[in-house]
Amino acid sequence: MLTAEQIHFYDENGFLVLRDLFTPAELGALQEDALILHSDQRGHPEANVLEKDGTTVRAAWAVELDSEACGRAYRLPRLLGAIQQLLGPTYLHQSRLNYKAAGKGDIFQWHQDYASWVHDGLPYGGHRDMLTALITLDDSTPDNGPLRFVPGSHKHGLIQAFYDTTTTSYPLHIVPDEYMEAHFAQTPVYECTFPAGTVVLFCGNLVHSSKENHSTQGRRNLYFAYSRDGNRPSGKATRQHKNAYIMNPAPYLLQEINDNSLADYARGLLPA
């Protein structure tokens, strides 16, 4: 359960870092499944988005469809319980595994996730309406393109975005440079440099970005985007998706599973 201090920090800053939620064995199971999701061995390879080179996987969407470890992780009480403290009854809006390739890996300009989700028909994007749980599958270092936050930027609400079709491997609604300079030039950026297995909760209106990966190792981030039950898509979506899996095809109301479920699965992966 989140403490009152943690909830206050999230309300004020738009994000919250949670450490030691996963054991090394549980993290290993997620890492093992990430290898399958990255390949044509996954059951839904059409759910993957490629980099500009046309061969390197940039993002694997709807990971729970083909990963038993991912399908358990986002419903564990230690994670889903914290989400439900903040949002109440909850469903999964989308999931993805981002692969930032060594020596390159796309940059992501400053943006808000809700600037895209509003075009999916979601009526509300406040920090108690939608949030994302990030699980770092590899160490995030200053050199491998870690996520960066502008603390407190969610209090600006939804910022009028510019639709960037050239900078990243798929179009993104970015915060204009002029707005960043006018409103956030004096705000210290929070850089998410953590060991693998760290969890970060951040809300849909938090301004964030990431740089290129200049290291010799790839970096993988696992994301689960949750929305409160009363904030479901209404009307027709006004953006075209790269594939049919960017919005969760089965957005049922989530229930917690046994907190040992992922550990049990991890034990089954271990060699005899």
Side-chain angles (χ1 to χ4, degrees), residues 198-235:
T198 303
V199 174
V200 187
L201 310 181
F202 65 99
C203 67
N205 277 331
L206 186 70
V207 177
H208 61 287
S209 69
S210 67
K211 296 180 180 179
E212 292 177 333
N213 183 355
H214 294 294
S215 75
T216 58
Q217 300 294 322
R219 191 267 284 155
R220 299 164 297 180
N221 279 348
L222 178 60
Y223 297 90
F224 296 104
Y226 301 82
S227 180
R228 64 178 176 84
D229 187 39
N231 187 39
R232 290 181 177 268
S234 60

